[in-house]
Amino acid sequence: MIQWLRSLLHIVQMYVAMLVLSVAFFPYALLSASGGHAACHTFCRWVFWTLGWMVGLKTEVRGTPPTDEVMIAAKHQSFLDIMMIYNAVPRGKFIMKKQLMFSPLLGQYALRIGCVPVNRGKRGAAIKKMLHDVKSGKQQGGQLIIYPQGTRVAPGVSVPYKVGTAALYEQLGQPCVPVAANVGVFWPRHGILRKKGVAVVEFLPRIEPGLDTASFMERLESEIETASDLLLDEAGF
């Protein structure tokens, strides 16, 4: 019960901090994309710091986070891995539902850091526009973060990898950096309770462009799932 109450307090203050920081950084974010990233990175670091002393949950990033233009394909277990992966790279961005553009503050920050708003079934056109904007200087390059399984997946649950990831890999023509995780053991998809321990995300060796769809998907899934299983074992799952 004490751990549950500590978790609840952490969640409440986390969203208060999100509101305060988003308002405080908003003028800077409007002037520069760097302001948007500064706000988001500050929020992530605040969450990690408060997790440690309020809940007893530490965070650890392993491997070498990329700093160049790449696609990051990651295991997705909860909101925590989103923050850990984003905070580990300098200019992370996501593919997001177009409807989120109209969310107060959240939508504006997403656009400022370079997230790609898409309509269902029109992701290809959105990616082409993003690539064009980067080449023309309208948008800075960065690290596009995607989730090959398309949703949060609880530890130990098997969900197929979507072949659309391979289409994006081919279209971007960039290296793909797989990322494994065990964060769902400590910060689950649903519920309030956060457990004590060390949540880990691990950046794996990059997959260079040029593989065919079948080879890419087989390698991506094998590497992410194998590394994630090892992290789950380490966490005592």
Side-chain angles (χ1 to χ4, degrees), residues 16 74 109 122 167 198 229:
V16 171
Y109 272 99
K122 295 184 178 180
V198 180
D229 286 345

Side-chain angles (χ1 to χ4, degrees), residues 59-183:
T59 59
E60 180 182 344
V61 175
R62 298 179 185 174
T64 304
T67 57
D68 54 337
E69 287 192 54
V70 299
M71 179 178 78
I72 296 173
K75 190 73 174 175
H76 185 24
Q77 296 176 335
S78 74
F79 184 44
L80 182 57
D81 57 66
I82 293 177
M83 291 186 287
M84 291 177 67
I85 295 169
Y86 172 81
N87 191 62
V89 298
R91 304 193 72 83
K93 52 191 174 183
F94 302 85
I95 294 176
M96 69 177 190
K97 294 179 181 179
K98 193 170 185 178
Q99 292 87 338
L100 291 177
M101 289 175 56
F102 305 105
S103 300
L105 296 176
L106 175 62
Q108 291 303 310
Y109 272 99
L111 291 176
R112 295 305 295 159
I113 68 174
C115 291
V116 185
V118 298
N119 287 319
R120 180 171 293 183
K122 295 184 178 180
R123 185 175 66 176
I127 294 299
K128 287 180 180 178
K129 184 179 185 304
M130 181 196 74
L131 293 174
H132 177 269
D133 288 349
V134 170
K135 290 179 181 179
S136 65
K138 293 181 180 178
Q139 182 184 132
Q140 290 186 329
Q143 301 78 42
L144 182 64
I145 304 166
I146 66 167
Y147 299 101
Q149 291 170 296
T151 185
R152 293 172 295 175
V153 179
V157 175
S158 179
V159 172
Y161 280 52
K162 297 181 180 295
V163 73
T165 304
L168 191 56
Y169 161 78
E170 180 180 358
Q171 187 174 9
L172 290 172
Q174 297 174 352
C176 174
V177 179
V179 179
N182 69 0
V183 302

